[in-house]
Amino acid sequence: MKVLVTGSSGFLGSALTRSLTTGGHSVTRLVRPGTKPGPSQIVWDPSAGRLDPNSIEGFDAVLSLAGENIAGGRWTPERKRLLRDSRVKSTLLLAETLARLSRQPRVLVAASATGYYGDRGDEMLTEASAPGSGFLAEVCRAWEDSTRPAAAAGIRVVNVRFGIVLSAAGGALAKMLPPFKAGVGGPVGSGRQYMSWIALDDVVRVIEHAFVTDSLAGPVNVVAPEPLTNREFARTLGRVLGRPALLPLPAFAVRLLFGEMGDALLIASARVRPSRLEAANYRFLYPELEGALRRLLGR
């Protein structure tokens, strides 16, 4: 397939771009002004509302991952505006431009996150669940709403709500490894909050599944079918590494260190089920955490 990708320089975007290319797809990246020139690139400027429609004609699929790193710094008012605008404005510009094309893509797969559900305790959440409250939930609602022009024009839109993507090369797991390997890892806060995770290899396969599965449209939870509490996650990671996982990071320390961001990313609970993927007969490579960690960490 001819695939157009935004947000290809981030942790998830770079991994997906490599995997799609290795899998035989022809990948073209939408890049910002000032990006080092390279092959198969198209320059756009979402902040200025600039995207040449002629440059994106004829793609089979579009993968939209653009957005500033949600964990890249404390959530000051200015940072929160940047996090929201980098997602909503870029996705809206892309969706509006795709809607006007004479040769539209068959599918737009657009990133969202399980932050859509907010902090919901042990409630089991599916794509049919109501949105939550708080900054992340509001951003995710606006992020998904920004794809509506493409859907209204007849393009199949899949809003992939990513959980915690596990890879030893980056993201949350890479940040957890140093303290756990040193034997000073453990649960965060009470440890009772749920973590909805997925292995990077499964993310790649889910994206390709979404490209070719016509029955998938609208929100899709991209998580493994086994959400675990933070305490269970820490215990499993410690077991795989052969290290104790007993030292907790108190909630007050999380708030002191990270402020609102720490509450939303480390203490909030989202117990999410991949109901739409299961209904579409997607088979997970790594449905259970221990198997995923042993594969990712070579253990």
Side-chain angles (χ1 to χ4, degrees), residues 1-24:
M1 301 175 71
K2 289 182 62 180
V3 182
L4 181 68
V5 180
T6 78
S8 61
S9 62
F11 154 64
L12 190 53
S14 57
L16 285 169
T17 299
R18 284 194 304 271
S19 295
L20 290 170
T21 302
T22 303

Side-chain angles (χ1 to χ4, degrees), residues 123-179:
E123 177 185 357
M124 186 62 79
L125 303 164
T126 72
E127 291 87 351
S129 299
S133 59
F135 172 68
L136 272 187
E138 185 275 328
V139 168
C140 289
R141 287 198 303 273
W143 203 2
E144 294 183 15
D145 286 347
S146 65
T147 63
R148 287 183 178 178
I155 299 170
R156 180 169 62 88
V157 174
V158 184
N159 302 105
V160 282
R161 294 175 179 167
F162 291 118
I164 300 167
V165 178
L166 300 184
S167 167
L173 180 60
K175 293 178 181 178
M176 295 178 199
L177 288 176

Side-chain angles (χ1 to χ4, degrees), residues 10-16 18-19 65 70 111-114 160-177 195-207 221-224 233 265 286 289 292-293 296:
F11 154 64
L12 190 53
S14 57
L16 285 169
R18 284 194 304 271
S19 295
L65 301 169
I70 202 77
S112 182
T114 55
V160 282
R161 294 175 179 167
F162 291 118
I164 300 167
V165 178
L166 300 184
S167 167
L173 180 60
K175 293 178 181 178
M176 295 178 199
L177 288 176
M195 299 174 64
S196 296
W197 61 275
I198 186 167
L200 179 59
D201 288 350
D202 268 313
V203 172
V204 173
R205 292 179 72 245
V206 166
I207 296 301
N221 292 331
V222 185
V223 294
F233 189 101
L265 299 183
Y286 304 107
L289 180 63
L293 290 176
L296 290 168

Side-chain angles (χ1 to χ4, degrees), residues 158-298:
V158 184
N159 302 105
V160 282
R161 294 175 179 167
F162 291 118
I164 300 167
V165 178
L166 300 184
S167 167
L173 180 60
K175 293 178 181 178
M176 295 178 199
L177 288 176
F180 274 85
K181 285 182 176 179
V184 294
V188 176
S190 70
R192 292 192 297 270
Q193 68 274 29
Y194 274 86
M195 299 174 64
S196 296
W197 61 275
I198 186 167
L200 179 59
D201 288 350
D202 268 313
V203 172
V204 173
R205 292 179 72 245
V206 166
I207 296 301
E208 293 186 325
H209 191 71
F211 282 164
V212 301
T213 305
D214 291 339
S215 62
L216 276 182
V220 174
N221 292 331
V222 185
V223 294
E226 187 194 65
L228 299 174
T229 66
N230 178 265
R231 186 175 300 279
E232 291 167 332
F233 189 101
R235 186 182 298 122
T236 303
L237 179 56
R239 183 167 59 249
V240 169
L241 293 172
R243 296 287 189 274
L246 303 173
L247 293 178
L249 178 60
F252 77 85
V254 172
R255 295 184 179 108
L256 184 65
L257 289 169
F258 305 112
E260 182 184 356
M261 179 182 73
D263 258 325
L265 299 183
L266 298 176
I267 297 176
S269 178
R271 188 183 183 188
V272 182
R273 184 106 191 151
S275 297
R276 300 287 305 282
L277 285 177
E278 291 173 327
N281 297 316
Y282 177 79
R283 295 198 173 194
F284 287 86
L285 288 174
Y286 304 107
E288 298 178 352
L289 180 63
E290 184 160 344
L293 290 176
R294 291 194 181 281
R295 175 69 176 87
L296 290 168
L297 302 177

